[in-house]
Amino acid sequence: MTQIAIDRTTTPKQPPADETLAFGKVFTDHMFLMDYQEGKGWHDPRIVPYAPFTLDPACCVLHYGQAIFDGLKAFRGRDGRVRLFRLPDHARRLNRSAHYLCIPEIDPAMVEESIRALVEVDQRWVPSLPGTSLYIRPTVIATETFLGVHPSSSYLYYVILGPVGAYYKEGMNPVRILASDKHVRAVQGGLGAAKTAGNYAASLFGAEEAQKAGYTQVLWLDGVEHRYLDEVGTMNIMLKIDDEVITPPLNGAILAGITRDSVLTLLRDWGLRASERPIAIDEVIAAAQAGRLEMWGTGTAAVISPVGELGYKGERYVIGGGKTGALTQKLYDTIVGIQYGTAPDPHGWTRMLGNRLGG
Ligand code: COI
């Protein structure tokens, strides 16, 4: 693997106090960059001071959205050590997104190394207050200068980092979500399973309408019948009806969430029934009305986020008295315990910084 060149900043910034952290507003001192050119492949991996870069106005990512990203976190445990959560899985998912967008694959070992090396350089930025972490955003954009529609012949892979607090202003308090019977995020056969810019662009209009109606995010229904649950704005959706935990299957229209996978694994470890199956909105509403429903979202940014209210066709359904359910709380405590190193990590999901074999 090519050696990563490191150019350290001569003007390091002061990280903000942990108590002031929100999501995605502050960035660290350095970033990782690597270029791709057809015929030459990926080359010139380097860590440089964080700074804006210039793009030609005709650069194809700006017109046709050939862009992918991923999102993962580093946590500082009470022992002071920094842990990366499910790094190889995020590297693999970045390449799956690349495949959907006709972007050349990056050696997963290089993706892992780029992240590890950058976090090592900026590790003083990893916050330590419970609930805070260092958010890592690997991104690939198409950089060829042209206005015809075809896959670009050049790309930039970059990684930026930022210390973050809770994604929602509600923190770990239950959020309210609105099931949209009008807008659609993605359809099977489209790009719904890729972490690509366009999926988030497609979500904005519906999300704004939901916010105006007092909801935190949209619960997207399938693009054909507008009947089956797909996912929520920035998280996968899960629910428990009686003794069955249900989450929509990976049908090509939703993102293969890594927290989704962690939760399914934990539930099965605990001997609970966890089904990946289509679930219709009417089934969810009937369970809410009968008081048999617990609901939560899973995501890297959102972690485990309880859902306290569901809106649909002008009606509001309160779930579990608007309070965090017992299983939701247990999942949150367990995942967070693994991430901060206070709970056992039987699946080897965390990797210590400075210890390549993991911890
Ligand atoms: C994440 O959970 O990492 C995400 O990518 C959500 C993000 C779009 C805020």
Side-chain angles (χ1 to χ4, degrees), residues 1 6 9-10 42 44 58 65 69 101 134 140-141 144 163 193 225 235 246-247 249 264 283 310:
M1 197 165 37
I6 302 182
T9 181
T10 51
W42 288 105
D44 200 10
F69 66 91
L101 271 287
L134 186 76
V140 185
I141 56 171
E144 189 180 339
E225 293 183 63
M235 49 192 195
I246 310 156
T247 196
L264 287 174
E283 194 184 344
L310 172 65

Side-chain angles (χ1 to χ4, degrees), residues 167-190:
Y167 184 75
Y168 296 121
K169 68 172 173 13
E170 289 88 343
M172 177 55 188
N173 295 319
V175 295
R176 306 159 78 196
I177 58 175
L178 177 67
S180 179
D181 55 346
K182 202 157 59 166
H183 304 290
V184 167
R185 172 190 170 270
V187 287
Q188 285 181 39

